[in-house]
Amino acid sequence: MSAVNLAGSTSLSSLAGSLRVAPGAPLPQALHSSRPDWAPRLARGQTASALPGLMASLFNLCSHAHRLCAQLAIDAAAPGLLPAPQQVAQRLRTETAQEHVRRIGLDWPRLLAAEPGAAATAWADDAHAALQRCPLLLPASSLPADPWSVTLTWLQDQLLQMPATTWLRAWQACGADWLHDWSHRHKGWLAALVRAARAADSAAPLDPASALRAHARASNVRTLSAAMTGEAGFALHPLWQGASAHTGSWTRLNDPSADLPLTPWALLGSRIAELIRLCQPDEPGQIGAGWLSFGSLNTGPHQGLAWVEMARGLLVHQVEIDASVGDAPARVAACRVLAPTEWNFHPQGVVARRIAALDKGQPAEDTERRVRLLMAAFDPCVPFEVKHTVPADQEVQHA
């Protein structure tokens, strides 16, 4: 057995849950998630005003997105109960860009390097140094009045080593072919990591028909809301139109290159492209604060659903508010959260199928490189562990 990226104490790991990966095992044993559905249990009975903070604490890796989504859902369920969230687009833009920077600078050096050694250590050191110079990661009190222009300059100098707008145009035109060309033309740490990861890629692109865009129409949002309310266990094993779906920076409603054939390795380029878009001046539906979509809908008496496009994909919160009696504060009757990790790491989903297809006979080091690329591309919000044998009590029984 080989463990990868499983850090922290046992108690914290069990509280947050984790992914267990069994390369080459049949579905659903290939990918198992122990992530619990804490939101309904912890939110019920809380005051409505406390819910956004509770969700931010519970989902602390994407705390700002969860806080914002909860605020939007409460406002849809009970308009005027709490102050309506302000500057939604800018808040979503900032948190998403910051999370992209952190994942590229902290996770990719660890996950994408071909093997430990001097080169991998140098890339990690260069990435760490670049993060320390990123204007967008400064404390809020130290941020410049316009952090985006200086962050775009940082992005060009520290990550791309070329004009960001040129990089984005080439990506929109050529997709993975451009990512390959760029990673071979430049010698910086990010290009080197992307270049090293290419050997671990699968040739099979994602199915565009499985891209999750349930938030494109109000009727679809209502269908999703009904499933969250009426189907037991839906938040942990969601399906859209009867099938698993995938979500991330490559499934945005505003993406003009949504039909590009993208393998897991090419999804790295999608994340870089989105970071460039977010750092550019605002244009509705195109770049800046106009890039990411969000919305909310009243789905019944005292019930609201909200969704935001955030760093890992589509996040959905559904809230039901008890009517307040007298001077008593309004309380949460029900809260359900549908996070991107549950879509992408569904036991029958896109990542699980690729893990099941891995060759058990290849060297463990090669298998783990392929798993690490999948994790970098689809970015779970919990740790993962690679096991090269399936527990006996979970083996598939054959007649």
Side-chain angles (χ1 to χ4, degrees):
M1 183 187 81
S2 174
V4 181
N5 192 34
L6 195 58
S9 69
T10 302
S11 59
L12 287 177
S13 294
S14 60
L15 181 66
S18 62
L19 301 176
R20 191 192 65 240
V21 175
L27 297 175
Q29 285 80 20
L31 179 61
H32 171 76
S33 173
S34 63
R35 196 158 116 103
D37 187 14
W38 286 117
R41 284 175 274 179
L42 297 181
R44 183 176 175 83
Q46 297 286 333
T47 62
S49 60
L51 183 65
L54 175 63
M55 293 298 100
S57 298
L58 186 59
F59 300 95
N60 63 344
L61 276 184
C62 302
S63 59
H64 293 285
H66 279 274
R67 183 190 301 274
L68 179 58
C69 203
Q71 290 172 333
L72 290 169
I74 292 170
D75 194 57
L81 177 64
L82 300 177
Q86 302 297 310
Q87 297 184 314
V88 175
Q90 286 291 355
R91 289 168 59 187
L92 192 58
R93 173 197 195 185
T94 300
E95 166 64 14
T96 301
Q98 289 172 332
E99 185 66 5
H100 285 333
V101 169
R102 286 190 288 261
R103 300 286 67 83
I104 290 171
L106 295 174
D107 291 351
W108 287 14
R110 177 171 47 85
L111 295 173
L112 299 182
E115 57 188 21
T121 300
W123 296 337
D125 290 345
D126 289 345
H128 180 70
L131 287 185
Q132 291 183 313
R133 291 190 286 268
C134 180
L136 200 59
L137 298 186
L138 292 172
S141 59
S142 303
L143 279 175
D146 175 17
W148 299 108
S149 59
V150 290
T151 301
L152 189 63
T153 299
W154 170 87
L155 180 60
Q156 295 176 159
D157 294 342
Q158 300 292 324
L159 272 62
L160 303 177
Q161 298 186 319
M162 64 176 294
T165 53
T166 303
W167 198 103
L168 183 58
R169 283 197 301 269
W171 166 260
Q172 290 173 323
C174 302
D177 289 340
W178 163 246
L179 190 65
H180 177 269
D181 290 348
W182 167 77
S183 67
H184 282 78
R185 289 180 187 177
H186 298 279
K187 300 184 183 300
W189 64 270
L190 182 56
L193 283 170
V194 171
R195 184 170 63 248
R198 179 68 183 274
D201 196 23
S202 163
L206 277 67
D207 179 6
S210 298
L212 182 65
R213 295 189 178 89
H215 53 311
R217 297 182 180 87
S219 59
N220 286 346
V221 173
R222 293 188 183 280
T223 299
L224 185 62
S225 176
M228 293 176 69
T229 303
E231 297 182 24
F234 186 84
L236 289 179
H237 299 109
L239 297 174
W240 178 243
Q241 298 178 338
S244 60
H246 54 85
T247 183
S249 57
W250 60 93
T251 62
R252 307 307 196 194
L253 291 186
N254 289 324
D255 193 350
S257 55
D259 294 329
L260 286 175
L262 298 176
T263 64
W265 178 77
L267 298 186
L268 305 177
S270 176
R271 192 163 211 170
I272 296 170
E274 176 157 288
L275 180 55
I276 296 171
R277 288 186 174 106
L278 292 172
C279 290
Q280 293 188 36
D282 296 351
E283 287 186 25
Q286 299 293 322
I287 51 178
W291 171 248
L292 297 170
S293 298
F294 60 91
S296 61
L297 194 66
N298 181 278
T299 54
H302 308 291
Q303 184 183 90
L305 181 141
W307 51 266
V308 299
E309 293 180 342
M310 41 86 85
R312 289 177 170 85
L314 182 67
L315 173 65
V316 180
H317 279 219
Q318 185 189 65
V319 173
E320 296 177 37
I321 304 295
D322 273 335
S324 56
V325 178
D327 294 332
R331 295 190 177 272
V332 178
C335 174
R336 305 171 187 92
V337 173
L338 189 50
T341 294
E342 276 59 60
W343 290 105
N344 290 334
F345 296 89
H346 188 286
Q348 302 280 353
V350 58
V351 175
R353 292 195 299 271
R354 288 171 187 267
I355 290 171
L358 292 174
D359 183 0
K360 284 184 177 180
Q362 70 180 352
E365 295 79 5
D366 293 344
T367 298
E368 290 184 7
R369 282 189 64 194
R370 294 181 184 276
V371 171
R372 291 199 305 269
L373 173 59
L374 288 171
M375 296 301 163
F378 290 92
D379 191 16
C381 55
V382 292
F384 71 93
E385 181 182 24
V386 179
K387 291 190 174 183
H388 293 283
T389 57
V390 179
D393 61 351
Q394 293 189 24
E395 291 283 1
V396 175
Q397 300 298 314
H398 298 279

